[in-house]
Amino acid sequence: MLRIAVPNKGSLSGPAMAMLHEAGYQQRKESKELVLVDPENEVEFFYLRPRDIAIYVSSGRLDIGITGRDLLLDSGADAEEILQLGFARSTFRYATKPGTAQGPQDFDGRTIATSYEGIVAKHLADSGVNASVVHLDGAVETAIELGVAQIIADVVETGTSLRNAGLEVIGEPIMTSEAVVIRRTGAPDDDPKVQQFLRRLQGVLVARSYVMMDYDCRVEHLERAVALTPGLESPTVSPLHHEGWVAVRSMVEAREAQRIMDDLYDLGARAILTTAIHACRL
């Protein structure tokens, strides 16, 4: 069986299990379940701490795993990402009290508190900065107030918690992160079970990004309509009972669907419908 690591809690867990469910895999019903066997799909899922997943995968004990790019890089594990999943996006940045520093060029001799010691240490080394790094678990905003560090490095979404703590973001982002599928570095690219798993997840990503659009159109307007809805290969066009009209079906990007519907209507198309796509293979 294909052995897959899945986050057992945190912001990665729920979306990861939802995506796996959409891809046709069984998922646990109780949070206490540590292992779930899906015999129909020949997969065994292991629910682990997100921070530990890269270590298990790099050891070869598990074939692949879902974790955050930040956790993968921070672990220093011998593993690599093979598919971006588009959720749990975040930005990793430095922050400090206003007027303390403008960026890494001002960090020499100072102490930086973070929960991601591996990422910060590497970034400082790459930047040629001689600073100390203190590892803290959980919220690091109080490290400056309590005198543990002069600067922190943490995941920043809106920046509200930092502003509430009297801190400001400084310098360029250290990195951007999102959920990714990982495997051991150097693992074969042609494992059929892994490839099937990736195709299923890619199908979910496409299904979430596109909708199916159907509409009726006059024949003389067809070429202009097709230019608006070219589809992946080309749209399906079928003649209608009333002469001079055709029915068109095509996949369009969900984010562009409303604009395309407006343009088609202005062109004279009617009965314009969109439907969700639940699964696909390209």
Side-chain angles (χ1 to χ4, degrees):
M1 285 191 171
L2 188 67
R3 296 158 64 88
I4 302 174
V6 182
N8 67 347
K9 59 182 179 180
S11 61
L12 289 165
S13 180
M17 288 193 289
M19 177 171 280
L20 291 169
H21 178 73
E22 289 180 50
Y25 295 103
Q26 296 180 29
Q27 287 299 288
R28 67 179 184 176
K29 295 181 174 60
E30 299 290 337
S31 60
K32 293 181 180 180
E33 290 183 77
L34 301 180
V35 180
L36 183 143
V37 177
D38 182 351
E40 292 185 3
N41 292 299
E42 298 184 331
V43 173
E44 192 172 8
F45 293 103
F46 295 81
Y47 298 90
L48 306 169
R49 290 179 67 247
R51 188 171 283 276
D52 296 336
I53 286 176
I55 303 298
Y56 282 104
V57 172
S58 68
S59 72
R61 301 290 182 179
L62 301 179
D63 300 301
I64 53 179
I66 296 175
T67 189
R69 181 183 297 124
D70 52 352
L71 298 175
L72 167 64
L73 297 179
D74 191 60
S75 72
D78 193 18
E80 60 186 0
E81 67 176 77
I82 54 176
L83 180 65
Q84 299 173 11
L85 298 179
F87 62 85
R89 289 192 172 103
S90 62
T91 304
F92 197 63
R93 305 195 67 165
Y94 294 112
T96 188
K97 287 186 176 180
T100 302
Q102 297 298 315
Q105 68 275 10
D106 302 321
F107 291 177
D108 277 338
R110 299 188 179 185
T111 301
I112 302 166
T114 184
S115 299
Y116 298 82
E117 185 177 0
I119 292 176
V120 174
K122 184 178 185 303
H123 185 262
L124 294 174
D126 292 343
S127 303
V129 176
N130 183 21
S132 302
V133 180
V134 173
H135 178 86
L136 295 176
D137 286 321
V140 296
E141 292 92 341
T142 56
I144 295 177
E145 181 181 352
L146 296 177
V148 174
Q150 295 82 44
I151 302 152
I152 66 169
D154 202 7
V155 172
V156 177
E157 294 181 1
T158 63
T160 301
S161 60
L162 293 176
R163 289 191 293 272
N164 290 340
L167 306 178
E168 65 176 4
V169 171
I170 58 173
E172 295 297 319
I174 302 169
M175 66 168 295
T176 58
S177 181
E178 65 179 289
V180 295
V181 179
I182 66 171
R183 68 177 176 193
R184 181 170 52 85
T185 303
D189 292 329
D190 57 354
D191 186 323
K193 292 182 179 179
V194 173
Q195 292 304 312
Q196 181 187 65
F197 178 78
L198 295 177
R199 281 195 301 272
R200 287 197 182 191
L201 294 191
Q202 287 166 337
V204 172
L205 292 172
V206 173
R208 290 178 172 182
S209 301
Y210 286 82
V211 294
M212 189 65 71
M213 185 171 290
D214 293 89
Y215 58 91
D216 298 341
C217 177
R218 293 285 305 175
V219 172
E220 58 265 30
H221 298 149
L222 180 59
E223 290 304 317
R224 292 169 62 191
V226 167
L228 293 171
T229 58
L232 298 183
E233 303 295 340
S234 64
T236 300
V237 179
S238 306
L240 293 177
H241 178 68
H242 290 291
E243 187 175 350
W245 283 83
V246 292
V248 182
R249 164 167 278 205
S250 182
M251 287 176 63
V252 302
E253 288 191 63
R255 63 183 180 180
E256 297 290 336
Q258 293 295 331
R259 178 188 61 78
I260 293 172
M261 293 175 77
D262 291 337
D263 292 343
L264 287 171
Y265 188 88
D266 292 341
L267 190 61
R270 293 296 181 265
I272 309 169
L273 309 173
T274 61
T275 53
I277 301 171
H278 297 291
C280 71
R281 297 289 186 277
L282 300 182

PDB file of all heavy atoms in Angstrom, residues 5-21 27-28 30-31 33 46-50 53 66-68 71 85 87-88 179 208:
ATOM      1  N   ALA A   5       1.483  10.452   4.867  1.00  0.00           N
ATOM      2  CA  ALA A   5       1.380  11.220   6.110  1.00  0.00           C
ATOM      3  C   ALA A   5       0.437  12.399   5.907  1.00  0.00           C
ATOM      4  O   ALA A   5       0.543  13.127   4.913  1.00  0.00           O
ATOM      5  CB  ALA A   5       2.755  11.719   6.540  1.00  0.00           C
ATOM      6  N   VAL A   6      -0.483  12.581   6.863  1.00  0.00           N
ATOM      7  CA  VAL A   6      -1.470  13.657   6.808  1.00  0.00           C
ATOM      8  C   VAL A   6      -1.394  14.442   8.119  1.00  0.00           C
ATOM      9  O   VAL A   6      -1.267  13.844   9.186  1.00  0.00           O
ATOM     10  CB  VAL A   6      -2.894  13.084   6.623  1.00  0.00           C
ATOM     11  CG1 VAL A   6      -3.918  14.210   6.524  1.00  0.00           C
ATOM     12  CG2 VAL A   6      -2.958  12.196   5.384  1.00  0.00           C
ATOM     13  N   PRO A   7      -1.473  15.778   8.068  1.00  0.00           N
ATOM     14  CA  PRO A   7      -1.447  16.562   9.310  1.00  0.00           C
ATOM     15  C   PRO A   7      -2.610  16.184  10.229  1.00  0.00           C
ATOM     16  O   PRO A   7      -3.750  16.077   9.781  1.00  0.00           O
ATOM     17  CB  PRO A   7      -1.583  18.009   8.819  1.00  0.00           C
ATOM     18  CG  PRO A   7      -1.118  17.980   7.405  1.00  0.00           C
ATOM     19  CD  PRO A   7      -1.528  16.642   6.876  1.00  0.00           C
ATOM     20  N   ASN A   8      -2.323  16.000  11.501  1.00  0.00           N
ATOM     21  CA  ASN A   8      -3.361  15.568  12.435  1.00  0.00           C
ATOM     22  C   ASN A   8      -4.084  16.715  13.124  1.00  0.00           C
ATOM     23  O   ASN A   8      -5.117  16.518  13.764  1.00  0.00           O
ATOM     24  CB  ASN A   8      -2.772  14.620  13.495  1.00  0.00           C
ATOM     25  CG  ASN A   8      -1.787  15.326  14.417  1.00  0.00           C
ATOM     26  OD1 ASN A   8      -1.342  16.444  14.167  1.00  0.00           O
ATOM     27  ND2 ASN A   8      -1.418  14.661  15.497  1.00  0.00           N
ATOM     28  N   LYS A   9      -3.560  17.937  12.988  1.00  0.00           N
ATOM     29  CA  LYS A   9      -4.208  19.080  13.618  1.00  0.00           C
ATOM     30  C   LYS A   9      -3.662  20.364  13.011  1.00  0.00           C
ATOM     31  O   LYS A   9      -2.750  20.343  12.192  1.00  0.00           O
ATOM     32  CB  LYS A   9      -3.957  19.076  15.131  1.00  0.00           C
ATOM     33  CG  LYS A   9      -2.480  19.113  15.529  1.00  0.00           C
ATOM     34  CD  LYS A   9      -2.335  19.047  17.045  1.00  0.00           C
ATOM     35  CE  LYS A   9      -0.861  19.047  17.449  1.00  0.00           C
ATOM     36  NZ  LYS A   9      -0.701  18.976  18.920  1.00  0.00           N
ATOM     37  N   GLY A  10      -4.240  21.480  13.427  1.00  0.00           N
ATOM     38  CA  GLY A  10      -3.779  22.770  12.941  1.00  0.00           C
ATOM     39  C   GLY A  10      -4.447  23.178  11.637  1.00  0.00           C
ATOM     40  O   GLY A  10      -5.354  22.518  11.126  1.00  0.00           O
ATOM     41  N   SER A  11      -3.971  24.281  11.069  1.00  0.00           N
ATOM     42  CA  SER A  11      -4.587  24.857   9.875  1.00  0.00           C
ATOM     43  C   SER A  11      -4.415  23.991   8.637  1.00  0.00           C
ATOM     44  O   SER A  11      -5.152  24.150   7.661  1.00  0.00           O
ATOM     45  CB  SER A  11      -3.987  26.246   9.604  1.00  0.00           C
ATOM     46  OG  SER A  11      -2.585  26.155   9.370  1.00  0.00           O
ATOM     47  N   LEU A  12      -3.468  23.062   8.667  1.00  0.00           N
ATOM     48  CA  LEU A  12      -3.263  22.180   7.525  1.00  0.00           C
ATOM     49  C   LEU A  12      -4.212  20.990   7.534  1.00  0.00           C
ATOM     50  O   LEU A  12      -4.541  20.444   6.472  1.00  0.00           O
ATOM     51  CB  LEU A  12      -1.825  21.652   7.519  1.00  0.00           C
ATOM     52  CG  LEU A  12      -0.715  22.638   7.180  1.00  0.00           C
ATOM     53  CD1 LEU A  12       0.628  22.050   7.583  1.00  0.00           C
ATOM     54  CD2 LEU A  12      -0.715  22.967   5.696  1.00  0.00           C
ATOM     55  N   SER A  13      -4.659  20.567   8.699  1.00  0.00           N
ATOM     56  CA  SER A  13      -5.362  19.296   8.838  1.00  0.00           C
ATOM     57  C   SER A  13      -6.702  19.259   8.112  1.00  0.00           C
ATOM     58  O   SER A  13      -6.948  18.395   7.264  1.00  0.00           O
ATOM     59  CB  SER A  13      -5.565  18.976  10.321  1.00  0.00           C
ATOM     60  OG  SER A  13      -6.244  17.749  10.476  1.00  0.00           O
ATOM     61  N   GLY A  14      -7.605  20.184   8.450  1.00  0.00           N
ATOM     62  CA  GLY A  14      -8.942  20.172   7.866  1.00  0.00           C
ATOM     63  C   GLY A  14      -8.935  20.265   6.349  1.00  0.00           C
ATOM     64  O   GLY A  14      -9.548  19.431   5.663  1.00  0.00           O
ATOM     65  N   PRO A  15      -8.260  21.274   5.768  1.00  0.00           N
ATOM     66  CA  PRO A  15      -8.225  21.384   4.306  1.00  0.00           C
ATOM     67  C   PRO A  15      -7.568  20.182   3.627  1.00  0.00           C
ATOM     68  O   PRO A  15      -7.980  19.783   2.538  1.00  0.00           O
ATOM     69  CB  PRO A  15      -7.411  22.656   4.072  1.00  0.00           C
ATOM     70  CG  PRO A  15      -7.584  23.458   5.306  1.00  0.00           C
ATOM     71  CD  PRO A  15      -7.663  22.462   6.419  1.00  0.00           C
ATOM     72  N   ALA A  16      -6.547  19.595   4.266  1.00  0.00           N
ATOM     73  CA  ALA A  16      -5.887  18.431   3.672  1.00  0.00           C
ATOM     74  C   ALA A  16      -6.844  17.251   3.605  1.00  0.00           C
ATOM     75  O   ALA A  16      -6.948  16.574   2.563  1.00  0.00           O
ATOM     76  CB  ALA A  16      -4.640  18.057   4.476  1.00  0.00           C
ATOM     77  N   MET A  17      -7.564  16.992   4.688  1.00  0.00           N
ATOM     78  CA  MET A  17      -8.497  15.869   4.691  1.00  0.00           C
ATOM     79  C   MET A  17      -9.669  16.121   3.746  1.00  0.00           C
ATOM     80  O   MET A  17     -10.171  15.194   3.098  1.00  0.00           O
ATOM     81  CB  MET A  17      -8.984  15.592   6.114  1.00  0.00           C
ATOM     82  CG  MET A  17      -7.907  14.968   7.003  1.00  0.00           C
ATOM     83  SD  MET A  17      -8.554  14.301   8.556  1.00  0.00           S
ATOM     84  CE  MET A  17      -8.955  15.821   9.403  1.00  0.00           C
ATOM     85  N   ALA A  18     -10.108  17.389   3.637  1.00  0.00           N
ATOM     86  CA  ALA A  18     -11.186  17.715   2.703  1.00  0.00           C
ATOM     87  C   ALA A  18     -10.749  17.447   1.261  1.00  0.00           C
ATOM     88  O   ALA A  18     -11.514  16.892   0.460  1.00  0.00           O
ATOM     89  CB  ALA A  18     -11.595  19.178   2.871  1.00  0.00           C
ATOM     90  N   MET A  19      -9.530  17.809   0.933  1.00  0.00           N
ATOM     91  CA  MET A  19      -9.026  17.575  -0.424  1.00  0.00           C
ATOM     92  C   MET A  19      -8.895  16.084  -0.704  1.00  0.00           C
ATOM     93  O   MET A  19      -9.246  15.610  -1.798  1.00  0.00           O
ATOM     94  CB  MET A  19      -7.680  18.279  -0.621  1.00  0.00           C
ATOM     95  CG  MET A  19      -7.056  18.030  -1.981  1.00  0.00           C
ATOM     96  SD  MET A  19      -5.608  19.070  -2.307  1.00  0.00           S
ATOM     97  CE  MET A  19      -6.426  20.597  -2.787  1.00  0.00           C
ATOM     98  N   LEU A  20      -8.419  15.330   0.269  1.00  0.00           N
ATOM     99  CA  LEU A  20      -8.292  13.884   0.085  1.00  0.00           C
ATOM    100  C   LEU A  20      -9.659  13.239  -0.084  1.00  0.00           C
ATOM    101  O   LEU A  20      -9.821  12.312  -0.894  1.00  0.00           O
ATOM    102  CB  LEU A  20      -7.552  13.276   1.281  1.00  0.00           C
ATOM    103  CG  LEU A  20      -6.070  13.641   1.387  1.00  0.00           C
ATOM    104  CD1 LEU A  20      -5.507  13.220   2.733  1.00  0.00           C
ATOM    105  CD2 LEU A  20      -5.275  13.008   0.256  1.00  0.00           C
ATOM    106  N   HIS A  21     -10.645  13.721   0.651  1.00  0.00           N
ATOM    107  CA  HIS A  21     -12.007  13.203   0.504  1.00  0.00           C
ATOM    108  C   HIS A  21     -12.540  13.495  -0.894  1.00  0.00           C
ATOM    109  O   HIS A  21     -13.145  12.626  -1.538  1.00  0.00           O
ATOM    110  CB  HIS A  21     -12.914  13.814   1.566  1.00  0.00           C
ATOM    111  CG  HIS A  21     -14.340  13.374   1.461  1.00  0.00           C
ATOM    112  ND1 HIS A  21     -14.763  12.115   1.813  1.00  0.00           N
ATOM    113  CD2 HIS A  21     -15.441  14.034   1.006  1.00  0.00           C
ATOM    114  CE1 HIS A  21     -16.057  12.010   1.587  1.00  0.00           C
ATOM    115  NE2 HIS A  21     -16.495  13.158   1.111  1.00  0.00           N
ATOM    116  N   GLN A  27     -11.321   9.088   4.814  1.00  0.00           N
ATOM    117  CA  GLN A  27     -10.623   9.851   5.827  1.00  0.00           C
ATOM    118  C   GLN A  27     -11.209   9.527   7.194  1.00  0.00           C
ATOM    119  O   GLN A  27     -12.346   9.070   7.316  1.00  0.00           O
ATOM    120  CB  GLN A  27     -10.706  11.342   5.541  1.00  0.00           C
ATOM    121  CG  GLN A  27      -9.831  11.800   4.383  1.00  0.00           C
ATOM    122  CD  GLN A  27      -8.363  11.539   4.630  1.00  0.00           C
ATOM    123  OE1 GLN A  27      -7.728  12.196   5.454  1.00  0.00           O
ATOM    124  NE2 GLN A  27      -7.807  10.549   3.940  1.00  0.00           N
ATOM    125  N   ARG A  28     -10.404   9.770   8.219  1.00  0.00           N
ATOM    126  CA  ARG A  28     -10.822   9.397   9.568  1.00  0.00           C
ATOM    127  C   ARG A  28     -12.027  10.204  10.015  1.00  0.00           C
ATOM    128  O   ARG A  28     -12.223  11.352   9.594  1.00  0.00           O
ATOM    129  CB  ARG A  28      -9.664   9.594  10.544  1.00  0.00           C
ATOM    130  CG  ARG A  28      -9.251  11.050  10.746  1.00  0.00           C
ATOM    131  CD  ARG A  28      -8.123  11.166  11.740  1.00  0.00           C
ATOM    132  NE  ARG A  28      -7.789  12.558  12.020  1.00  0.00           N
ATOM    133  CZ  ARG A  28      -6.887  12.938  12.911  1.00  0.00           C
ATOM    134  NH1 ARG A  28      -6.214  12.029  13.611  1.00  0.00           N
ATOM    135  NH2 ARG A  28      -6.636  14.221  13.122  1.00  0.00           N
ATOM    136  N   GLU A  30     -12.783  10.186  13.508  1.00  0.00           N
ATOM    137  CA  GLU A  30     -12.460  10.572  14.881  1.00  0.00           C
ATOM    138  C   GLU A  30     -11.036  11.103  14.942  1.00  0.00           C
ATOM    139  O   GLU A  30     -10.128  10.522  14.347  1.00  0.00           O
ATOM    140  CB  GLU A  30     -12.603   9.380  15.830  1.00  0.00           C
ATOM    141  CG  GLU A  30     -14.011   8.784  15.896  1.00  0.00           C
ATOM    142  CD  GLU A  30     -14.993   9.712  16.583  1.00  0.00           C
ATOM    143  OE1 GLU A  30     -14.524  10.570  17.371  1.00  0.00           O
ATOM    144  OE2 GLU A  30     -16.205   9.584  16.344  1.00  0.00           O
ATOM    145  N   SER A  31     -10.851  12.190  15.680  1.00  0.00           N
ATOM    146  CA  SER A  31      -9.519  12.792  15.760  1.00  0.00           C
ATOM    147  C   SER A  31      -8.512  11.906  16.484  1.00  0.00           C
ATOM    148  O   SER A  31      -7.308  12.108  16.369  1.00  0.00           O
ATOM    149  CB  SER A  31      -9.601  14.151  16.463  1.00  0.00           C
ATOM    150  OG  SER A  31     -10.119  13.996  17.781  1.00  0.00           O
ATOM    151  N   GLU A  33      -8.058   8.758  15.837  1.00  0.00           N
ATOM    152  CA  GLU A  33      -7.518   7.762  14.912  1.00  0.00           C
ATOM    153  C   GLU A  33      -6.142   8.215  14.430  1.00  0.00           C
ATOM    154  O   GLU A  33      -5.992   9.319  13.905  1.00  0.00           O
ATOM    155  CB  GLU A  33      -8.443   7.580  13.713  1.00  0.00           C
ATOM    156  CG  GLU A  33      -9.759   6.901  14.029  1.00  0.00           C
ATOM    157  CD  GLU A  33     -10.585   6.680  12.781  1.00  0.00           C
ATOM    158  OE1 GLU A  33     -10.270   5.741  12.016  1.00  0.00           O
ATOM    159  OE2 GLU A  33     -11.529   7.460  12.552  1.00  0.00           O
ATOM    160  N   PHE A  46      -1.426   7.988   7.705  1.00  0.00           N
ATOM    161  CA  PHE A  46      -0.886   8.154   9.056  1.00  0.00           C
ATOM    162  C   PHE A  46      -1.064   9.626   9.454  1.00  0.00           C
ATOM    163  O   PHE A  46      -0.562  10.517   8.769  1.00  0.00           O
ATOM    164  CB  PHE A  46       0.599   7.773   9.103  1.00  0.00           C
ATOM    165  CG  PHE A  46       0.850   6.321   8.828  1.00  0.00           C
ATOM    166  CD1 PHE A  46       0.884   5.841   7.522  1.00  0.00           C
ATOM    167  CD2 PHE A  46       1.045   5.420   9.870  1.00  0.00           C
ATOM    168  CE1 PHE A  46       1.111   4.499   7.265  1.00  0.00           C
ATOM    169  CE2 PHE A  46       1.266   4.078   9.616  1.00  0.00           C
ATOM    170  CZ  PHE A  46       1.297   3.613   8.313  1.00  0.00           C
ATOM    171  N   TYR A  47      -1.756   9.868  10.565  1.00  0.00           N
ATOM    172  CA  TYR A  47      -2.052  11.227  11.004  1.00  0.00           C
ATOM    173  C   TYR A  47      -1.004  11.645  12.035  1.00  0.00           C
ATOM    174  O   TYR A  47      -0.956  11.122  13.149  1.00  0.00           O
ATOM    175  CB  TYR A  47      -3.470  11.295  11.564  1.00  0.00           C
ATOM    176  CG  TYR A  47      -4.487  10.950  10.500  1.00  0.00           C
ATOM    177  CD1 TYR A  47      -4.901   9.620  10.320  1.00  0.00           C
ATOM    178  CD2 TYR A  47      -4.990  11.914   9.640  1.00  0.00           C
ATOM    179  CE1 TYR A  47      -5.798   9.291   9.318  1.00  0.00           C
ATOM    180  CE2 TYR A  47      -5.888  11.593   8.641  1.00  0.00           C
ATOM    181  CZ  TYR A  47      -6.290  10.272   8.484  1.00  0.00           C
ATOM    182  OH  TYR A  47      -7.174   9.944   7.482  1.00  0.00           O
ATOM    183  N   LEU A  48      -0.178  12.599  11.629  1.00  0.00           N
ATOM    184  CA  LEU A  48       1.006  12.971  12.405  1.00  0.00           C
ATOM    185  C   LEU A  48       1.067  14.481  12.621  1.00  0.00           C
ATOM    186  O   LEU A  48       0.408  15.250  11.919  1.00  0.00           O
ATOM    187  CB  LEU A  48       2.273  12.529  11.661  1.00  0.00           C
ATOM    188  CG  LEU A  48       2.353  11.060  11.256  1.00  0.00           C
ATOM    189  CD1 LEU A  48       3.519  10.843  10.308  1.00  0.00           C
ATOM    190  CD2 LEU A  48       2.492  10.181  12.484  1.00  0.00           C
ATOM    191  N   ARG A  49       1.883  14.896  13.587  1.00  0.00           N
ATOM    192  CA  ARG A  49       2.126  16.320  13.797  1.00  0.00           C
ATOM    193  C   ARG A  49       2.717  16.915  12.521  1.00  0.00           C
ATOM    194  O   ARG A  49       3.667  16.359  11.954  1.00  0.00           O
ATOM    195  CB  ARG A  49       3.090  16.548  14.953  1.00  0.00           C
ATOM    196  CG  ARG A  49       2.528  16.231  16.322  1.00  0.00           C
ATOM    197  CD  ARG A  49       3.551  16.471  17.408  1.00  0.00           C
ATOM    198  NE  ARG A  49       3.886  17.884  17.563  1.00  0.00           N
ATOM    199  CZ  ARG A  49       5.064  18.418  17.278  1.00  0.00           C
ATOM    200  NH1 ARG A  49       6.047  17.667  16.779  1.00  0.00           N
ATOM    201  NH2 ARG A  49       5.284  19.701  17.465  1.00  0.00           N
ATOM    202  N   PRO A  50       2.161  18.027  12.029  1.00  0.00           N
ATOM    203  CA  PRO A  50       2.663  18.609  10.771  1.00  0.00           C
ATOM    204  C   PRO A  50       4.167  18.835  10.768  1.00  0.00           C
ATOM    205  O   PRO A  50       4.832  18.628   9.756  1.00  0.00           O
ATOM    206  CB  PRO A  50       1.900  19.935  10.679  1.00  0.00           C
ATOM    207  CG  PRO A  50       0.644  19.696  11.444  1.00  0.00           C
ATOM    208  CD  PRO A  50       1.015  18.780  12.581  1.00  0.00           C
ATOM    209  N   ILE A  53       6.181  15.530   9.864  1.00  0.00           N
ATOM    210  CA  ILE A  53       5.904  14.776   8.642  1.00  0.00           C
ATOM    211  C   ILE A  53       7.117  14.689   7.727  1.00  0.00           C
ATOM    212  O   ILE A  53       7.420  13.620   7.175  1.00  0.00           O
ATOM    213  CB  ILE A  53       4.686  15.380   7.920  1.00  0.00           C
ATOM    214  CG1 ILE A  53       3.412  15.009   8.686  1.00  0.00           C
ATOM    215  CG2 ILE A  53       4.592  14.897   6.469  1.00  0.00           C
ATOM    216  CD1 ILE A  53       2.146  15.625   8.146  1.00  0.00           C
ATOM    217  N   ILE A  66       1.739  15.297   3.324  1.00  0.00           N
ATOM    218  CA  ILE A  66       1.229  16.644   3.123  1.00  0.00           C
ATOM    219  C   ILE A  66       1.647  17.481   4.323  1.00  0.00           C
ATOM    220  O   ILE A  66       1.376  17.132   5.471  1.00  0.00           O
ATOM    221  CB  ILE A  66      -0.306  16.643   2.987  1.00  0.00           C
ATOM    222  CG1 ILE A  66      -0.734  15.869   1.740  1.00  0.00           C
ATOM    223  CG2 ILE A  66      -0.837  18.079   2.937  1.00  0.00           C
ATOM    224  CD1 ILE A  66      -2.234  15.710   1.602  1.00  0.00           C
ATOM    225  N   THR A  67       2.325  18.582   4.054  1.00  0.00           N
ATOM    226  CA  THR A  67       2.773  19.472   5.119  1.00  0.00           C
ATOM    227  C   THR A  67       2.925  20.865   4.544  1.00  0.00           C
ATOM    228  O   THR A  67       2.602  21.106   3.379  1.00  0.00           O
ATOM    229  CB  THR A  67       4.086  18.967   5.745  1.00  0.00           C
ATOM    230  OG1 THR A  67       4.388  19.749   6.913  1.00  0.00           O
ATOM    231  CG2 THR A  67       5.243  19.047   4.772  1.00  0.00           C
ATOM    232  N   GLY A  68       3.425  21.803   5.348  1.00  0.00           N
ATOM    233  CA  GLY A  68       3.668  23.153   4.858  1.00  0.00           C
ATOM    234  C   GLY A  68       5.085  23.283   4.339  1.00  0.00           C
ATOM    235  O   GLY A  68       6.011  22.641   4.849  1.00  0.00           O
ATOM    236  N   LEU A  71       7.395  24.255   7.110  1.00  0.00           N
ATOM    237  CA  LEU A  71       7.786  23.171   8.001  1.00  0.00           C
ATOM    238  C   LEU A  71       8.793  22.238   7.339  1.00  0.00           C
ATOM    239  O   LEU A  71       9.700  21.717   7.997  1.00  0.00           O
ATOM    240  CB  LEU A  71       6.545  22.388   8.430  1.00  0.00           C
ATOM    241  CG  LEU A  71       5.502  23.190   9.212  1.00  0.00           C
ATOM    242  CD1 LEU A  71       4.270  22.347   9.474  1.00  0.00           C
ATOM    243  CD2 LEU A  71       6.095  23.708  10.510  1.00  0.00           C
ATOM    244  N   LEU A  85      -0.494  22.695  -3.185  1.00  0.00           N
ATOM    245  CA  LEU A  85      -1.907  22.403  -2.979  1.00  0.00           C
ATOM    246  C   LEU A  85      -2.789  23.640  -2.842  1.00  0.00           C
ATOM    247  O   LEU A  85      -4.010  23.519  -2.806  1.00  0.00           O
ATOM    248  CB  LEU A  85      -2.074  21.511  -1.743  1.00  0.00           C
ATOM    249  CG  LEU A  85      -1.391  20.137  -1.856  1.00  0.00           C
ATOM    250  CD1 LEU A  85      -1.601  19.344  -0.580  1.00  0.00           C
ATOM    251  CD2 LEU A  85      -1.898  19.368  -3.070  1.00  0.00           C
ATOM    252  N   PHE A  87      -3.570  25.791  -0.453  1.00  0.00           N
ATOM    253  CA  PHE A  87      -4.220  26.255   0.778  1.00  0.00           C
ATOM    254  C   PHE A  87      -3.176  26.451   1.865  1.00  0.00           C
ATOM    255  O   PHE A  87      -2.016  26.095   1.696  1.00  0.00           O
ATOM    256  CB  PHE A  87      -5.329  25.294   1.231  1.00  0.00           C
ATOM    257  CG  PHE A  87      -4.876  23.895   1.584  1.00  0.00           C
ATOM    258  CD1 PHE A  87      -4.402  23.602   2.847  1.00  0.00           C
ATOM    259  CD2 PHE A  87      -4.941  22.875   0.652  1.00  0.00           C
ATOM    260  CE1 PHE A  87      -4.000  22.324   3.190  1.00  0.00           C
ATOM    261  CE2 PHE A  87      -4.549  21.585   0.970  1.00  0.00           C
ATOM    262  CZ  PHE A  87      -4.061  21.306   2.243  1.00  0.00           C
ATOM    263  N   ALA A  88      -3.595  27.042   2.988  1.00  0.00           N
ATOM    264  CA  ALA A  88      -2.688  27.375   4.098  1.00  0.00           C
ATOM    265  C   ALA A  88      -1.545  28.265   3.629  1.00  0.00           C
ATOM    266  O   ALA A  88      -0.402  28.094   4.038  1.00  0.00           O
ATOM    267  CB  ALA A  88      -2.151  26.099   4.751  1.00  0.00           C
ATOM    268  N   ALA A 179       0.513  24.693   1.651  1.00  0.00           N
ATOM    269  CA  ALA A 179       0.519  23.239   1.790  1.00  0.00           C
ATOM    270  C   ALA A 179       1.109  22.604   0.539  1.00  0.00           C
ATOM    271  O   ALA A 179       0.815  23.031  -0.580  1.00  0.00           O
ATOM    272  CB  ALA A 179      -0.893  22.728   2.017  1.00  0.00           C
ATOM    273  N   ARG A 208     -11.680  22.705  -8.590  1.00  0.00           N
ATOM    274  CA  ARG A 208     -11.960  23.865  -7.748  1.00  0.00           C
ATOM    275  C   ARG A 208     -11.752  25.178  -8.494  1.00  0.00           C
ATOM    276  O   ARG A 208     -12.334  26.202  -8.125  1.00  0.00           O
ATOM    277  CB  ARG A 208     -11.060  23.841  -6.515  1.00  0.00           C
ATOM    278  CG  ARG A 208     -11.397  22.750  -5.510  1.00  0.00           C
ATOM    279  CD  ARG A 208     -10.416  22.784  -4.352  1.00  0.00           C
ATOM    280  NE  ARG A 208     -10.811  21.880  -3.272  1.00  0.00           N
ATOM    281  CZ  ARG A 208     -10.135  21.752  -2.139  1.00  0.00           C
ATOM    282  NH1 ARG A 208      -9.051  22.491  -1.923  1.00  0.00           N
ATOM    283  NH2 ARG A 208     -10.542  20.903  -1.209  1.00  0.00           N
TER     284      ARG A 208
END
